[in-house]
Short mmCIF file of all heavy atoms in Angstrom, two decimals:
data_model
loop_
_atom_site.label_atom_id
_atom_site.label_comp_id
_atom_site.label_asym_id
_atom_site.label_seq_id
_atom_site.Cartn_x
_atom_site.Cartn_y
_atom_site.Cartn_z
N ASP Z 131 104.60 95.94 123.99
CA ASP Z 131 105.24 97.23 124.24
C ASP Z 131 104.35 98.22 124.97
O ASP Z 131 104.83 99.10 125.68
CB ASP Z 131 105.72 97.86 122.92
CG ASP Z 131 106.85 97.07 122.28
OD1 ASP Z 131 107.44 96.21 122.96
OD2 ASP Z 131 107.13 97.30 121.08
N TYR Z 132 103.03 98.09 124.78
CA TYR Z 132 102.10 99.03 125.43
C TYR Z 132 101.41 98.40 126.64
O TYR Z 132 100.39 98.93 127.10
CB TYR Z 132 101.05 99.50 124.43
CG TYR Z 132 101.55 100.55 123.46
CD1 TYR Z 132 101.94 100.20 122.18
CD2 TYR Z 132 101.63 101.89 123.84
CE1 TYR Z 132 102.40 101.17 121.28
CE2 TYR Z 132 102.09 102.85 122.96
CZ TYR Z 132 102.47 102.49 121.68
OH TYR Z 132 102.94 103.45 120.81
N ALA Z 133 101.93 97.34 127.16
CA ALA Z 133 101.35 96.69 128.34
C ALA Z 133 101.28 97.69 129.49
O ALA Z 133 102.27 98.33 129.84
CB ALA Z 133 102.17 95.47 128.74
N GLY Z 134 100.10 97.85 130.06
CA GLY Z 134 99.93 98.78 131.18
C GLY Z 134 99.75 100.22 130.77
O GLY Z 134 99.66 101.10 131.62
N LYS Z 135 99.67 100.49 129.45
CA LYS Z 135 99.51 101.86 128.96
C LYS Z 135 98.33 101.93 128.00
O LYS Z 135 98.17 101.06 127.14
CB LYS Z 135 100.76 102.31 128.21
CG LYS Z 135 102.07 102.23 128.97
CD LYS Z 135 103.23 102.60 128.05
CE LYS Z 135 104.56 102.41 128.71
NZ LYS Z 135 105.68 102.69 127.76
N ASP Z 136 97.52 102.96 128.16
CA ASP Z 136 96.53 103.26 127.14
C ASP Z 136 97.24 104.04 126.04
O ASP Z 136 98.09 104.88 126.32
CB ASP Z 136 95.40 104.11 127.72
CG ASP Z 136 94.42 103.28 128.53
OD1 ASP Z 136 94.75 102.12 128.83
OD2 ASP Z 136 93.36 103.79 128.88
N PHE Z 137 96.87 103.80 124.78
CA PHE Z 137 97.47 104.57 123.70
C PHE Z 137 96.41 104.97 122.69
O PHE Z 137 95.30 104.43 122.67
CB PHE Z 137 98.60 103.79 123.01
CG PHE Z 137 98.16 102.60 122.21
CD1 PHE Z 137 97.92 102.72 120.84
CD2 PHE Z 137 98.01 101.36 122.80
CE1 PHE Z 137 97.53 101.63 120.08
CE2 PHE Z 137 97.62 100.26 122.04
CZ PHE Z 137 97.37 100.38 120.69
N VAL Z 138 96.76 105.95 121.86
CA VAL Z 138 95.85 106.41 120.80
C VAL Z 138 96.40 105.92 119.47
O VAL Z 138 97.52 106.27 119.08
CB VAL Z 138 95.72 107.95 120.77
CG1 VAL Z 138 94.69 108.36 119.72
CG2 VAL Z 138 95.32 108.48 122.14
N ALA Z 139 95.64 105.07 118.79
CA ALA Z 139 96.01 104.59 117.46
C ALA Z 139 95.54 105.62 116.44
O ALA Z 139 94.34 105.85 116.30
CB ALA Z 139 95.39 103.23 117.19
N VAL Z 140 96.48 106.25 115.75
CA VAL Z 140 96.14 107.32 114.80
C VAL Z 140 96.42 106.84 113.38
O VAL Z 140 97.57 106.64 112.99
CB VAL Z 140 96.96 108.60 115.09
CG1 VAL Z 140 96.58 109.70 114.11
CG2 VAL Z 140 96.74 109.05 116.53
N GLY Z 141 95.37 106.66 112.60
CA GLY Z 141 95.51 106.20 111.22
C GLY Z 141 95.66 107.35 110.27
O GLY Z 141 95.00 108.39 110.41
N LEU Z 142 96.54 107.20 109.29
CA LEU Z 142 96.72 108.22 108.25
C LEU Z 142 95.77 107.91 107.10
O LEU Z 142 95.91 106.88 106.43
CB LEU Z 142 98.17 108.25 107.76
CG LEU Z 142 99.14 109.12 108.57
CD1 LEU Z 142 99.33 108.56 109.97
CD2 LEU Z 142 100.48 109.23 107.87
N LEU Z 143 94.80 108.78 106.92
CA LEU Z 143 93.81 108.58 105.87
C LEU Z 143 94.39 108.87 104.50
O LEU Z 143 95.25 109.75 104.36
CB LEU Z 143 92.61 109.51 106.12
CG LEU Z 143 91.82 109.25 107.41
CD1 LEU Z 143 90.79 110.36 107.61
CD2 LEU Z 143 91.15 107.89 107.38
N THR Z 144 94.01 108.09 103.47
CA THR Z 144 93.00 107.04 103.58
C THR Z 144 93.66 105.66 103.53
O THR Z 144 93.05 104.65 103.79
CB THR Z 144 92.00 107.17 102.40
OG1 THR Z 144 91.43 108.46 102.41
CG2 THR Z 144 90.89 106.16 102.46
N GLY Z 145 94.94 105.66 103.25
CA GLY Z 145 95.62 104.39 102.99
C GLY Z 145 95.67 103.43 104.15
O GLY Z 145 95.76 102.22 103.95
N ALA Z 146 95.60 103.93 105.38
CA ALA Z 146 95.80 103.06 106.54
C ALA Z 146 94.57 102.28 106.95
O ALA Z 146 94.63 101.45 107.87
CB ALA Z 146 96.28 103.89 107.74
N ILE Z 147 93.42 102.49 106.28
CA ILE Z 147 92.17 101.93 106.80
C ILE Z 147 92.18 100.41 106.92
O ILE Z 147 91.74 99.85 107.92
CB ILE Z 147 90.97 102.39 105.96
CG1 ILE Z 147 91.16 102.05 104.48
CG2 ILE Z 147 90.70 103.86 106.15
CD1 ILE Z 147 89.91 102.28 103.63
N CYS Z 148 92.69 99.70 105.91
CA CYS Z 148 92.67 98.22 105.95
C CYS Z 148 93.65 97.70 107.00
O CYS Z 148 93.29 96.86 107.83
CB CYS Z 148 93.03 97.66 104.57
SG CYS Z 148 91.81 98.01 103.29
N PHE Z 149 94.88 98.20 106.95
CA PHE Z 149 95.90 97.75 107.90
C PHE Z 149 95.51 98.07 109.33
O PHE Z 149 95.62 97.23 110.22
CB PHE Z 149 97.23 98.40 107.53
CG PHE Z 149 98.37 98.07 108.46
CD1 PHE Z 149 98.60 96.78 108.89
CD2 PHE Z 149 99.24 99.07 108.90
CE1 PHE Z 149 99.65 96.47 109.75
CE2 PHE Z 149 100.29 98.78 109.74
CZ PHE Z 149 100.50 97.48 110.17
N MET Z 150 95.05 99.27 109.58
CA MET Z 150 94.67 99.69 110.93
C MET Z 150 93.53 98.85 111.47
O MET Z 150 93.57 98.40 112.63
CB MET Z 150 94.28 101.16 110.92
CG MET Z 150 93.90 101.72 112.28
SD MET Z 150 93.55 103.49 112.18
CE MET Z 150 93.19 103.87 113.88
N THR Z 151 92.50 98.63 110.65
CA THR Z 151 91.34 97.85 111.10
C THR Z 151 91.74 96.43 111.50
O THR Z 151 91.34 95.94 112.57
CB THR Z 151 90.27 97.79 110.00
OG1 THR Z 151 89.86 99.12 109.67
CG2 THR Z 151 89.06 96.99 110.45
N ASP Z 152 92.51 95.77 110.67
CA ASP Z 152 92.94 94.40 110.99
C ASP Z 152 93.90 94.36 112.16
O ASP Z 152 93.82 93.49 113.03
CB ASP Z 152 93.59 93.75 109.76
CG ASP Z 152 92.57 93.34 108.71
OD1 ASP Z 152 91.37 93.30 109.05
OD2 ASP Z 152 92.96 93.08 107.56
N LEU Z 153 94.84 95.30 112.18
CA LEU Z 153 95.86 95.32 113.23
C LEU Z 153 95.23 95.43 114.63
O LEU Z 153 95.58 94.67 115.54
CB LEU Z 153 96.81 96.50 112.99
CG LEU Z 153 97.94 96.70 114.01
CD1 LEU Z 153 98.93 95.55 113.92
CD2 LEU Z 153 98.64 98.03 113.77
N LEU Z 154 94.31 96.36 114.78
CA LEU Z 154 93.74 96.61 116.11
C LEU Z 154 92.83 95.48 116.58
O LEU Z 154 92.55 95.35 117.77
CB LEU Z 154 92.99 97.93 116.11
CG LEU Z 154 93.87 99.17 115.87
CD1 LEU Z 154 93.03 100.44 115.90
CD2 LEU Z 154 95.00 99.25 116.91
N LYS Z 155 92.36 94.62 115.66
CA LYS Z 155 91.57 93.46 116.07
C LYS Z 155 92.38 92.52 116.95
O LYS Z 155 91.83 91.80 117.79
CB LYS Z 155 91.09 92.69 114.85
CG LYS Z 155 90.03 93.38 114.01
CD LYS Z 155 89.70 92.55 112.78
CE LYS Z 155 88.69 93.23 111.87
NZ LYS Z 155 88.42 92.44 110.65
N TYR Z 156 93.70 92.51 116.75
CA TYR Z 156 94.55 91.56 117.45
C TYR Z 156 95.32 92.16 118.62
O TYR Z 156 96.04 91.45 119.31
CB TYR Z 156 95.55 90.95 116.46
CG TYR Z 156 94.92 90.29 115.27
CD1 TYR Z 156 95.13 90.76 113.97
CD2 TYR Z 156 94.08 89.18 115.41
CE1 TYR Z 156 94.55 90.17 112.87
CE2 TYR Z 156 93.49 88.57 114.32
CZ TYR Z 156 93.73 89.07 113.05
OH TYR Z 156 93.16 88.47 111.96
#
Side-chain angles (χ1 to χ4, degrees):
D131 293 345
Y132 282 99
K135 304 175 185 176
D136 282 12
F137 70 94
V138 184
V140 181
L142 273 67
L143 296 173
T144 303
I147 55 171
C148 294
F149 178 44
M150 181 177 182
T151 300
D152 285 345
L153 179 67
L154 296 180
K155 290 177 183 177
Y156 304 117

